Amino acid sequence: MIVAAFSSAFRIAVGLLLFGLAWDLLVRLLEIPPYMLPGPMRVASAFHERGFFLLEHAALTASETLIGFFFGVLAGSVLAILMWLSPLARRAVLPVVLVTQALPVFAIAPILVLWLGFGLTSKIVMAVLVIFFAVTSAFYDGLRRADSGLADLARLYRISRFKELLYFRIPAGLPALASGIRIAAVFAPIGAIVGEWVGAKGGLAFIMLQSNARMQTDVMFAALILLALMVLALRFSVDALTRRLVPWQRED
């Protein structure tokens, strides 16, 4: 596992290095103005000059993302279990869930900011709304599509629906839950960023908006790179955790 992690990190580092070289070459050959596309060295200079400022706002976005991710996974898991336990709850809840996903996030974000303010709460709720459906859908499918032999065994021994869920359905549905969590890890920052974009006192999206208005493209790209690194770190951390959640699942 450690060798695989180092191998993966090495491939990412090489990919980022090649991307940086191609970026620098593109800027030099096409003579793109810095206000349109700054070169890697300009962005690195922005990191050097305003590193603490950028990291401070990145920490704010990261906290919004992580809290939203936690509550989104929790809400999605509980909702999937509730939908499997109660057909009545499924019929009542499923239309509401589908409506929340059909509405564009940019349409919901201003309302949440209006109701919950410019602080952390609106960003966390937005992150939850963005990711919980992926977890709910994946886990519910896992619970519903468990091995039919296990369901027959549960009926044979006439165990309660709750015990069937606890002893058969949840263990069988964990691989599907892990897949939903991995998807949620990629989309979790979107909710926080959209919330900050609509209205915030800080965060990476706040920096990007301010930098764009002031034509500080290098700072804007520095914030964007930090966001990309945050997404990668979250995804790889979640991959490691979900492998522990379902150690029996084979990964090719």
Side-chain angles (χ1 to χ4, degrees):
M1 184 180 293
I2 296 176
V3 174
F6 274 113
S7 176
S8 179
F10 177 75
R11 289 196 300 270
I12 291 172
V14 170
L16 291 175
L17 178 61
L18 292 175
F19 175 77
L21 292 173
W23 177 7
D24 186 64
L25 185 63
L26 178 68
V27 170
R28 291 176 185 274
L29 288 178
L30 299 182
E31 297 181 351
I32 302 174
Y35 66 86
M36 292 184 64
L37 179 63
M41 295 308 296
R42 284 183 176 270
V43 177
S45 178
F47 271 119
H48 178 71
E49 294 172 2
R50 311 188 68 175
F52 181 77
F53 171 77
L54 288 165
L55 290 175
E56 184 180 12
H57 285 270
L60 179 60
T61 301
S63 63
E64 296 165 353
T65 300
L66 290 174
I67 297 172
F69 176 73
F70 172 79
F71 283 108
V73 170
L74 180 63
S77 302
V78 170
L79 194 57
I81 290 172
L82 181 63
M83 288 169 60
W84 186 84
L85 279 174
S86 171
L88 178 62
R90 181 176 66 249
R91 288 193 293 269
V93 169
L94 190 58
V96 178
V97 172
L98 293 175
V99 167
T100 62
Q101 298 306 302
L103 293 174
V105 290
F106 272 104
I108 303 173
I111 299 173
L112 291 178
V113 171
L114 179 65
W115 288 349
L116 304 174
F118 290 91
L120 280 173
T121 307
S122 59
K123 317 306 179 294
I124 292 170
V125 172
M126 178 59 64
V128 170
L129 288 175
V130 167
I131 70 170
F132 88 97
F133 179 74
V135 178
T136 301
S137 179
F139 194 27
Y140 177 66
D141 281 345
L143 295 174
R144 192 163 53 92
R145 299 177 187 276
D147 188 352
S148 59
L150 295 176
D152 292 339
L153 185 64
R155 283 191 291 270
L156 178 65
Y157 283 94
R158 298 181 180 178
I159 67 174
S160 67
R161 194 165 175 81
F162 179 76
K163 286 185 178 179
E164 180 185 349
L165 171 73
L166 188 63
Y167 295 124
F168 297 131
R169 297 285 177 170
I170 288 180
L174 285 179
L177 174 61
S179 298
I181 292 174
R182 292 188 188 108
I183 295 171
V186 176
F187 289 102
I190 294 176
I193 289 297
V194 169
E196 290 175 359
W197 205 273
V198 173
K201 299 176 182 177
L204 290 176
F206 175 80
I207 288 179
M208 285 188 274
L209 281 173
Q210 297 293 320
S211 302
N212 185 49
R214 297 169 183 171
M215 298 299 289
Q216 296 174 335
T217 318
D218 52 349
V219 178
M220 186 169 63
F221 270 79
L224 190 61
I225 289 171
L226 277 176
L227 177 62
L229 292 175
M230 186 173 67
V231 172
L232 287 174
L234 180 59
R235 175 55 197 258
F236 282 107
S237 299
V238 166
D239 277 347
L241 289 173
T242 51
R243 279 196 294 268
R244 291 181 178 273
L245 180 66
V246 284
W248 64 87
Q249 186 180 26
R250 181 181 174 183
E251 294 188 9
D252 296 326

